[in-house]
């Protein structure tokens, strides 16, 4: 996780204080550029999801969502 955060900081997408305000926890915040990139990535994902689902009937879309949620639940189990 630390390597990922260092990369985000180096690319100007996130920032952390040099010292923890309390304890050892360094809070991370997205920079304005990081927020822009997150919004662009989220829009791209929504566009792909819309394209994937457009060929399915509404009941098939609902079934797909049910199955995907079941897969997510299975990953969350120990």
């Amino acid at each position: 996780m630390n390597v990922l955060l260092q990369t985000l900081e180096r690319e100007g997408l996130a920032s952390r204080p040099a010292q923890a305000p309390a304890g050892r926890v360094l809070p991370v915040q997205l920079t304005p550029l990081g927020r822009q990139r997150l919004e662009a990535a989220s829009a791209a994902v929504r566009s792909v999801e819309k394209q994937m689902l457009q060929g399915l009937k509404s009941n098939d879309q609902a079934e797909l969502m049910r199955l995907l949620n079941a897969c997510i639940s299975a990953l969350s189990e120990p």
Side-chain angles (χ1 to χ4, degrees):
M1 180 62 84
N2 194 44
V3 172
L4 174 61
L5 289 173
Q6 288 174 350
T7 301
L8 292 172
E9 285 180 296
R10 192 171 40 254
E11 293 181 6
L13 302 174
S15 64
R16 297 188 279 183
Q19 292 187 5
R24 294 177 43 180
V25 177
L26 292 174
V28 178
Q29 292 186 339
L30 287 176
T31 63
L33 178 59
R35 285 194 196 291
Q36 284 180 331
R37 296 275 177 90
L38 177 59
E39 289 172 14
S42 295
V45 167
R46 283 190 300 275
S47 175
V48 168
E49 287 174 347
K50 184 178 177 182
Q51 185 178 359
M52 286 184 347
L53 295 174
Q54 73 184 8
L56 297 177
K57 296 176 185 173
S58 63
N59 60 332
D60 291 335
Q61 289 180 18
E63 178 67 6
L64 176 60
M65 293 308 291
R66 186 188 69 73
L67 292 169
L68 289 173
N69 283 324
C71 292
I72 292 168
S73 292
L75 290 173
S76 300
E77 295 173 4

